[in-house]
């Protein structure tokens, strides 16, 4: 049988099932006589709620026709549905499944896994902290992770345009996510610029943060180890690693505070320019290129962690750090702080709410098992955090042994200081210090690059899906403009007081805003779009529906989990301090204003949508919370139904 339509499907009589084929000319051909187990239509005859046709029989008549056709009955009829999208290019997909998995793992495993988890773990009871951490992961982090992967894969949209398929009035969530991602790009890449500065400084026989004879050192610089019998450590002593970090890399001593940041450090500006150049040429072509880059950037850190773990375990005093890291203090579990830290750590570690998981999953095949992906990648993330603790604390135990101090005295600094001061100093005092310094800071850069690729890809996918006719054919130029905006926005973090700006963004601009945004996202999906409808969507993709556990988590536990974090932050705002600088009150107000500047998109768009929608107020409200019908906006599909006698 021959038909004059593009990409028609020929089928011989017999018992073979028809297969779905996508036309290379933006068409979609579906033989509606294919019955797939577990699939149900959710949005009316012939289509599911994401706009794609169902592959199950669309009516009893069609179903009967399909059955007759399989039985090779002479004169039977079969119906072919051809859907053509003539305006939009076909959506890009991952070259391999591993490209997607490594990209998600690279996004979830970042710098926070290396320094934040070990520090918070020992600060909140050591081994006892693992209990609230695992509970928060199972009931809060992983369900949110799974939900975002499923949403992105089913609707094949970024974090902005996806809301017309879920609950249009919440579209402001997508814009808020994009602004938060920009704020993160303003300061997160600066940490990689610091690491690059360290990396370039490591190519010498004697590491510059080992001695006190450099031009940036002060009279208080003290190189104190147990082998230095004539050196004594006082309350005014400063290690050479700390002075290198503060006075040479950051040059914080040249800025009195946020009210006077000082000039831009040209060395850090060049380092950051190199970082953004690598970022641009890794993501400018889409997931086809970034999916190849992550084979290096996502796997190399694990090789380095393994090398550092073996080296750390062989150092004298390593056991002291491990005992301090894991020694349970069960009394800590009775305090609210431990549970809050566990919830915040698992949330920011897995990273739902940044639009990245939706963007990555939107490039998957429709029937990809995102449930298995969510379990695998989240498990890898948590295990990496646990492994990093051994890498860090074996070295801290070694430092305590060399300094003849307690481990808690050596590990008093949290944040990047733990990596750039304590760990850097420990490396400098090891044999083959140059080699270990190079691979360590190279690992830090690659951990950061993965997260930057992902964060910017979330913004790019969202904007390209929302404005396809304007940006789809200009991706390279749009990415270039986005990278330039991020670089210019990061200049304030490259000044002499840039470290103060980094801390301000980290504490106020992103954390509270993104948690609030994810809370609204869960409410919109579970209560407005409906858990039943969402589970039907998942069943259509995977062939099985989420169980009762996942439904309860999405409807009740996850919202409570997020409200707990938000309420605790508002009730107990953190006292922000960096080095000897205590942030004044006006900086707290400034930080909240920056955070609100992204979240304000949500209520602003709600008002805009209600005002621009036609009809009475009740009609506007109902339309605002009702998913738009497929084809009402965005991609227009022409459906042609052809019936032929066999």
């Amino acid at each position: 049988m021959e038909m004059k339509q593009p990409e028609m499907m020929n089928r011989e009589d017999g018992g073979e099932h028809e297969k779905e084929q996508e036309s290379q000319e933006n068409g979609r051909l579906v033989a509606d006589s294919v019955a797939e187990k577990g699939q149900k239509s959710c949005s009316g005859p012939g289509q599911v709620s994401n706009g794609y046709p169902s592959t199950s029989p669309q009516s009893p008549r069609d179903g009967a026709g399909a059955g007759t056709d399989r039985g090779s009955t002479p004169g039977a009829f079969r119906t072919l549905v051809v859907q053509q999208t003539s305006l939009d290019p076909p959506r890009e997909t991952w070259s391999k499944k591993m490209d997607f998995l490594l990209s998600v793992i690279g996004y979830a495993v970042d710098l926070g896994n290396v320094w934040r988890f070990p520090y918070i773990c020992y600060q909140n009871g050591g081994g006892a902290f693992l209990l609230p951490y695992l509970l928060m992961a199972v009931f809060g982090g992983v369900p949110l992770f799974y939900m975002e992967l499923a949403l992105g894969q089913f609707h094949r949209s970024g974090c902005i345009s996806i809301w017309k398929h879920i609950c249009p009035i919440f579209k402001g969530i997508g814009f808020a996510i994009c602004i938060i991602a920009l704020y993160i790009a303003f300061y997160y890449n600066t940490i990689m610029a610091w690491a690059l500065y360290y990396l370039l400084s490591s190519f010498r026989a004697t590491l510059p943060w080992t001695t006190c004879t450099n031009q940036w050192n002060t009279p208080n610089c003290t190189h104190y180890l147990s082998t230095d019998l004539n050196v004594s450590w006082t309350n005014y002593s400063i290690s050479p690693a700390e002075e290198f970090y503060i006075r040479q890399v950051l040059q914080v001593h040249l800025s009195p505070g946020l009210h006077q940041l000082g000039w831009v450090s040209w060395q850090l500006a060049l380092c950051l320019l190199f970082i953004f150049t690598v970022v641009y040429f890794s993501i400018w072509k889409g997931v086809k290129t970034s999916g190849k880059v992550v084979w290096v950037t996502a796997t190399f850190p694990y090789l380095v962690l393994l090398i550092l773990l073996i080296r750390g375990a062989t150092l004298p005093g390593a056991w002291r750090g491990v005992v301090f890291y894991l020694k349970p203090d069960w009394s800590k579990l009775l305090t609210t702080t431990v549970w809050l830290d566990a919830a915040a750590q698992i949330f920011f570690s897995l990273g739902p709410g940044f639009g990245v998981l939706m963007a990555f999953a939107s490039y998957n095949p429709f029937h990809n098992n995102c449930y298995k992906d969510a379990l695998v990648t989240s498990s890898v993330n948590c295990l990496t955090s646990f492994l990093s603790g051994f890498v860090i604390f074996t070295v801290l135990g070694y430092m305590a042994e060399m300094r003849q101090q307690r481990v808690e005295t050596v590990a008093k600094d949290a944040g990047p200081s733990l990596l750039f001061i304590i760990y850097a100093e420990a490396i400098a005092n090891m044999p083959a210090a140059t080699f270990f310094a190079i691979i360590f800071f190279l690992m830090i850069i690659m951990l950061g690059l993965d997260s930057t690729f992902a964060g910017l890809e979330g913004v790019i996918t969202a904007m390209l899906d929302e404005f396809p006719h304007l940006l789809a054919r200009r991706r390279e130029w749009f990415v270039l403009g986005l990278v330039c905006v991020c670089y210019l926005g990061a200049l304030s973090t490259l000044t002499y007081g840039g470290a103060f700006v980094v801390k301000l963004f980290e504490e106020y601009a992103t954390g509270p805003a993104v948690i609030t945004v994810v809370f609204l996202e869960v409410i919109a999906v579970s209560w407005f779009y409906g858990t039943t409808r969402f589970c039907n969507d998942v069943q259509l993709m995977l062939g099985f529906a989420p169980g009762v556990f996942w439904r309860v988590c999405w409807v009740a536990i996850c919202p409570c989990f997020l409200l707990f974090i938000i309420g605790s932050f508002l009730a107990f705002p953190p006292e922000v301090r960096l080095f000897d600088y205590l942030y004044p009150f006006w900086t707290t107000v400034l930080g909240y204003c920056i955070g609100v500047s992204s979240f304000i998109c949500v209520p602003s768009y709600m008002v805009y949508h209600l005002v621009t929608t036609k009809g009475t107020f009740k009609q506007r409200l109902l339309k605002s919370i009702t998913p738009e019908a497929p084809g009402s906006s965005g991609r227009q599909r022409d459906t042609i139904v052809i019936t032929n006698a066999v």
Side-chain angles (χ1 to χ4, degrees):
M1 179 182 64
E2 214 174 77
M3 292 186 287
K4 298 180 181 179
Q5 297 292 338
E7 298 292 320
M8 283 295 149
M9 186 184 301
N10 295 327
R11 181 177 172 194
E12 297 179 356
D13 292 338
E16 295 182 35
H17 292 285
E18 292 185 47
K19 296 182 179 179
E20 226 175 80
Q21 296 182 353
E22 288 188 5
S23 129
Q24 296 179 354
E25 301 177 356
N26 308 331
R28 186 172 177 88
L29 173 64
V30 178
D32 65 344
S33 58
V34 180
E36 292 193 11
K37 184 179 180 179
Q39 296 184 350
K40 297 181 181 180
S41 176
C42 301
S43 300
Q47 287 185 322
V48 294
S49 60
N50 68 343
Y52 290 113
S54 169
T55 54
S56 55
Q58 305 305 318
S59 66
R61 180 178 178 178
D62 293 341
T68 308
D69 189 26
R70 283 194 291 269
S72 302
T73 303
F77 290 88
R78 64 187 176 94
T79 302
L80 296 181
V81 178
V82 181
Q83 286 194 330
Q84 295 175 315
T85 309
S86 58
L87 298 179
D88 293 343
R91 189 170 188 84
E92 189 177 14
T93 56
W94 297 97
S95 299
K96 297 178 181 178
K97 175 66 174 289
M98 280 302 297
D99 292 359
F100 165 71
L101 291 178
L102 287 176
S103 296
V104 174
I105 291 173
Y107 160 67
V109 178
D110 63 355
L111 299 178
N113 294 75
V114 178
W115 63 263
R116 195 171 189 271
F117 176 83
Y119 183 84
I120 288 181
C121 185
Y122 98 80
Q123 192 180 45
N124 290 283
F129 176 76
L130 298 178
L131 177 60
Y133 179 77
L134 290 176
L135 289 176
M136 291 297 178
V138 171
F139 292 99
V142 177
L144 292 171
F145 196 86
Y146 177 27
M147 183 186 75
E148 287 211 352
L149 286 181
L151 285 172
Q153 182 172 305
F154 184 83
H155 296 289
R156 300 179 71 83
S157 300
C159 61
I160 297 178
S161 56
I162 195 173
W163 290 102
K164 65 185 178 184
H165 305 302
I166 300 174
C167 189
I169 199 172
F170 283 98
K171 193 175 184 179
I173 290 177
F175 292 106
I177 288 173
C178 291
I179 295 176
I180 293 171
L182 285 179
Y183 288 157
I184 293 174
F186 289 168
Y187 77 87
Y188 190 82
N189 297 280
T190 301
I191 301 177
M192 281 187 288
W194 300 344
L196 180 59
Y197 191 100
Y198 269 86
L199 177 65
L200 297 176
S201 302
S202 300
F203 289 93
R204 58 186 71 182
T206 302
L207 297 176
W209 57 88
T210 306
T211 63
C212 293
T213 58
N214 305 286
Q215 61 179 358
W216 59 80
N217 292 127
T218 66
N220 291 327
C221 181
T222 305
H223 186 258
Y224 175 67
L225 293 175
S226 59
T227 55
D228 302 324
L229 301 178
N230 297 326
V231 178
S232 59
W233 188 269
T234 67
N235 294 333
Y236 301 99
S237 299
I238 304 176
S239 68
E242 184 174 352
E243 287 202 343
F244 178 79
Y245 177 60
I246 295 177
R247 299 180 62 84
Q248 175 63 11
V249 180
L250 303 182
Q251 302 183 65
V252 172
H253 65 289
L254 299 177
S255 171
L258 280 170
H259 62 282
Q260 188 176 342
L261 295 177
W263 297 99
V264 173
S265 170
W266 65 269
Q267 298 99 325
L268 293 180
L270 290 179
C271 289
L272 187 62
L273 180 62
F274 177 79
I275 293 293
F276 272 118
T277 302
V278 174
V279 170
Y280 174 72
F281 286 106
S282 299
I283 65 175
W284 68 323
K285 292 292 186 182
V287 296
K288 295 290 186 183
T289 54
S290 64
K292 298 296 180 292
V293 176
V294 295
W295 279 84
V296 177
T297 58
T299 57
F300 180 77
Y302 285 97
L303 176 62
V304 176
L305 284 175
L306 182 60
I307 294 174
L308 294 176
L309 178 62
I310 295 173
R311 184 68 187 102
T314 59
L315 292 172
W319 63 273
R320 295 177 58 186
V322 174
V323 170
F324 187 78
Y325 172 44
L326 294 179
K327 183 179 179 181
D329 182 1
W330 300 107
S331 63
K332 291 278 189 179
L333 298 182
L334 302 178
T335 62
T336 308
T337 306
V338 174
W339 297 88
L340 174 62
D341 285 345
Q345 174 61 25
I346 193 64
F347 176 82
F348 288 110
S349 181
L350 293 177
F354 293 93
V356 174
L357 300 176
M358 288 185 188
F360 281 169
S362 71
Y363 299 112
N364 276 334
F366 183 71
H367 295 290
N368 173 66
N369 192 342
C370 59
Y371 172 70
K372 181 180 178 181
D373 295 344
L375 296 181
V376 170
T377 52
S378 57
S379 299
V380 169
N381 175 73
C382 295
L383 290 175
T384 303
S385 298
F386 187 61
L387 172 67
S388 299
F390 289 98
V391 174
I392 296 295
F393 275 90
T394 52
V395 171
L396 293 181
Y398 163 71
M399 287 299 296
E401 183 84 8
M402 292 296 99
R403 286 188 180 182
Q404 296 181 345
Q405 294 177 325
R406 296 168 61 88
V407 178
E408 56 265 32
T409 304
V410 177
K412 63 181 179 180
D413 292 321
S417 299
L418 187 63
L419 301 179
F420 293 112
I421 297 178
I422 303 300
Y423 207 92
E425 183 179 359
I427 288 176
N429 289 283
M430 293 180 187
T434 299
F435 168 73
F436 286 109
I438 291 173
I439 65 171
F440 175 73
F441 291 111
L442 196 58
M443 177 193 72
I444 296 299
I445 293 172
M446 291 192 176
L447 284 172
L449 282 175
D450 286 333
S451 297
T452 298
F453 295 160
L456 293 183
E457 186 59 53
V459 178
I460 294 165
T461 300
M463 299 303 290
L464 263 61
D465 287 345
E466 181 66 13
F467 308 104
H469 303 299
L470 179 63
L471 301 175
R473 299 183 184 277
R474 303 178 180 88
R475 178 187 171 100
E476 292 86 352
W477 290 104
F478 173 69
V479 175
L480 178 61
L482 179 64
V483 169
C484 289
V485 169
C486 293
Y487 182 78
L488 294 176
L491 288 179
S492 63
T493 66
L494 304 176
T495 57
Y496 299 147
F500 301 136
V501 181
V502 171
K503 186 71 172 178
L504 182 72
F505 271 105
E506 186 181 8
E507 292 291 339
Y508 293 107
T510 56
V514 76
I515 294 173
T516 307
V517 163
V518 176
F519 171 73
L520 294 178
E521 178 184 305
V522 173
I523 295 299
V525 173
S526 300
W527 295 3
F528 287 85
Y529 185 69
T531 306
T532 301
R533 182 185 296 178
F534 175 62
C535 290
N536 288 339
D537 293 345
V538 175
Q539 182 176 6
L540 185 67
M541 285 192 303
L542 309 183
F544 59 88
V548 176
F549 168 77
W550 301 104
R551 295 171 186 251
V552 173
C553 285
W554 291 326
V555 171
I557 298 179
C558 285
C560 294
F561 165 82
L562 296 167
L563 270 180
F564 172 65
I565 303 177
I566 297 171
S568 299
F569 182 86
L570 295 176
F572 309 102
E575 181 185 68
V576 184
R577 179 189 295 271
L578 183 64
F579 307 125
D580 295 327
Y581 178 69
L582 179 63
Y583 283 60
F585 177 75
W586 68 268
T587 60
T588 303
V589 177
L590 176 62
Y592 276 113
C593 289
I594 297 175
V596 171
S597 66
S598 58
F599 176 72
I600 199 67
C601 293
V602 180
S604 298
Y605 186 84
M606 289 180 175
V607 174
Y608 166 78
H609 194 275
L610 288 173
V611 170
T612 56
T613 304
K614 297 180 180 179
T616 64
F617 179 77
K618 183 178 180 180
Q619 291 173 335
R620 296 178 184 182
L621 193 60
L622 288 175
K623 189 174 182 180
S624 297
I625 62 176
T626 304
E628 295 182 9
S632 61
S633 62
R635 290 176 291 182
Q636 301 296 321
R637 297 185 179 87
D638 301 321
T639 302
I640 307 171
V641 180
I642 308 168
T643 304
N644 289 278
V646 178

